[in-house]
Amino acid sequence: MKDLSVDNLTTIKDLSKSDIELIFNTADNFKKILNQPIKKVPSLRDITIANLFFENSTRTKLSFELAEKRLSADIINFSSSNSSVKKGETLLDTVQNILAMKVDMIVLRHSSPGASIFLSRNIDAKIINAGDGSHEHPTQALLDSFSIRQNFSDFKSLNVLIIGDIIHSRVALSNIFCLQKLGAKVGVCGPSTLMPKFLKSLNVEYFKDLRSALSWSDVANVLRIQLERQKLKYFPSLREYSSRFGVTKKVLDEIKNKVILMHPGPINRGVEISSDVADSKQSIILDQVENGVAIRMAVLYLLAKKIKK
Ligand code: CP
């Protein structure tokens, strides 16, 4: 079996198309195991992993933890709310102290863009970025594309739309890089105030109008409005945002094509997506969550293979 070309997973930008395909093929195998009565394999029996979450998480934290347990790794969990970070300890000091306990891999969620890249340059352990501020969320993009791959034979003729708060979204940026590497066309839709200044450099199509955008799409990934990262007022009210960009059954009924709907979670029901749409047959939201465990098992397994003991 081939190896990944990278030693850490800090950004999708570092991955080649064949790295992504290797992760998908490995995840296919782990997904089969996850559907068997005995879901555990001994692959990471001698590996210790620290899950460092300096920011809130439900899906990513639990999905990594479960993936590590299914691979038989030893794990320790850290959250900043009850740690000595509160006493002024730096990220680097915190991580170096954890590594002194003989930890091999770090899964890091942090509010600062570039935090995992900074760590990968300063410590001797494998780093996986579990979301760094508004920068990237590589495993989310991998599980999103893996979920799309289950519904289409090829990315080449696919139009994938990302709707909403692009400027604050690490999911959007990682998805754009991942989907383009796989050959899909990517479009974005939302208020112009929620588009980054560097949008042109991303080589995506911009849609102001939700119906035109959905008519163009095979798949639409709906994002949450990230109020916790918004320091300014980007649109008049959530109600106005919903009326123009909320994905509802009424909007879907007005377009001719059947679009597959995704959401990375957490969902704000009734804001960016209505409950009936989120829970409909068109939605693959829970498939994304299921696939997250297999994708994270694949990433952990492939990076652990590169640890020199
Ligand atoms: N998709 C995602 O990152 O969700 P959490 O913030 O719950 O981990």
Side-chain angles (χ1 to χ4, degrees):
M1 194 196 226
K2 285 191 305 178
D3 280 334
L4 288 177
S5 67
V6 293
D7 288 327
N8 301 291
L9 181 56
T10 56
T11 155
I12 291 283
K13 266 189 174 170
D14 287 347
L15 298 180
S16 65
K17 186 179 177 196
S18 51
D19 284 328
I20 298 171
E21 285 167 351
L22 174 61
I23 293 168
F24 287 176
N25 293 336
T26 310
D28 283 334
N29 290 329
F30 284 129
K31 200 167 168 183
K32 280 183 207 142
I33 292 168
L34 290 173
N35 283 308
Q36 286 172 7
I38 296 170
K39 298 173 174 56
K40 203 160 171 160
V41 288
S43 314
L44 299 198
R45 207 165 39 192
D46 54 349
I47 298 290
T48 305
I49 304 173
N51 298 312
L52 312 186
F53 280 72
F54 290 82
E55 231 192 20
N56 295 341
S57 170
T58 299
R59 280 144 290 271
T60 312
K61 186 170 184 293
L62 294 177
S63 178
F64 266 112
E65 202 174 320
L66 197 55
E68 292 153 2
K69 286 180 172 164
R70 300 292 193 222
L71 291 166
S72 308
D74 290 322
I75 63 171
I76 50 174
N77 290 313
F78 165 99
S79 71
S80 57
S81 56
N82 52 7
S83 75
S84 291
V85 169
K86 293 272 178 219
K87 300 173 193 166
E89 192 171 46
T90 65
L91 172 64
L92 192 54
D93 277 336
T94 302
V95 173
Q96 275 171 338
N97 277 268
I98 290 168
L99 293 184
M101 301 178 206
K102 308 286 177 215
V103 165
D104 303 293
M105 301 178 86
I106 300 280
V107 175
L108 178 72
R109 169 163 290 193
H110 201 280
S111 57
S112 296
S116 60
I117 296 175
F118 165 75
L119 273 193
S120 70
R121 289 178 184 157
N122 287 284
I123 61 162
D124 187 21
K126 301 285 173 232
I127 306 288
I128 301 175
N129 179 3
D132 58 339
S134 54
H135 178 227
E136 280 218 40
H137 193 347
T139 56
Q140 180 70 47
L142 289 165
L143 75 88
D144 287 346
S145 288
F146 184 76
S147 303
I148 293 173
R149 174 179 171 265
Q150 290 184 330
N151 290 275
F152 298 93
S153 56
D154 195 356
F155 284 89
K156 278 219 172 72
S157 52
L158 272 191
N159 290 345
V160 182
L161 179 70
I162 306 174
I163 305 169
D165 188 357
I166 310 297
I167 194 171
H168 298 104
S169 174
R170 53 193 173 214
V171 174
L173 206 55
S174 286
N175 260 276
I176 291 167
F177 295 145
C178 190
L179 289 160
Q180 289 178 339
K181 278 174 194 272
L182 292 166
K185 284 199 188 69
V186 183
V188 292
C189 176
S192 57
T193 49
L194 290 180
M195 298 297 138
K197 284 205 173 69
F198 55 88
L199 189 68
K200 263 202 178 118
S201 70
L202 294 174
N203 200 22
V204 296
E205 190 146 347
Y206 172 54
F207 295 91
K208 271 191 194 144
D209 174 67
L210 181 63
R211 284 159 185 80
S212 318
L214 287 168
S215 301
W216 170 88
S217 317
D218 300 296
V219 179
N221 202 345
V222 186
L223 303 180
R224 179 176 64 89
I225 297 294
Q226 314 213 8
L227 292 172
E228 75 277 19
R229 294 204 190 103
Q230 295 190 4
K231 293 190 180 72
L232 304 167
K233 214 163 164 41
Y234 291 83
F235 47 84
S237 67
L238 278 181
R239 190 198 284 210
E240 175 157 333
Y241 177 85
S242 277
S243 71
R244 286 195 57 202
F245 297 103
V247 180
T248 60
K249 188 165 181 317
K250 181 173 177 291
V251 173
L252 293 176
D253 285 345
E254 283 170 30
I255 60 165
K256 289 203 180 80
N257 47 323
K258 195 159 170 116
V259 182
I260 286 185
L261 292 160
M262 305 174 71
H263 195 307
I267 295 178
N268 286 150
R269 287 174 183 263
V271 179
E272 69 274 9
I273 192 165
S274 63
S275 267
D276 52 353
V277 171
D279 300 332
S280 71
K281 286 210 170 81
Q282 262 173 276
S283 153
I284 59 164
I285 295 171
L286 292 180
D287 295 344
Q288 290 171 260
V289 179
E290 182 186 339
N291 289 332
V293 180
I295 281 290
R296 290 177 174 122
M297 284 173 82
V299 169
L300 289 160
Y301 171 77
L302 291 165
L303 288 178
K305 267 177 77 187
K306 304 190 111 189
I307 295 172
K308 293 173 191 74
K309 288 274 186 184

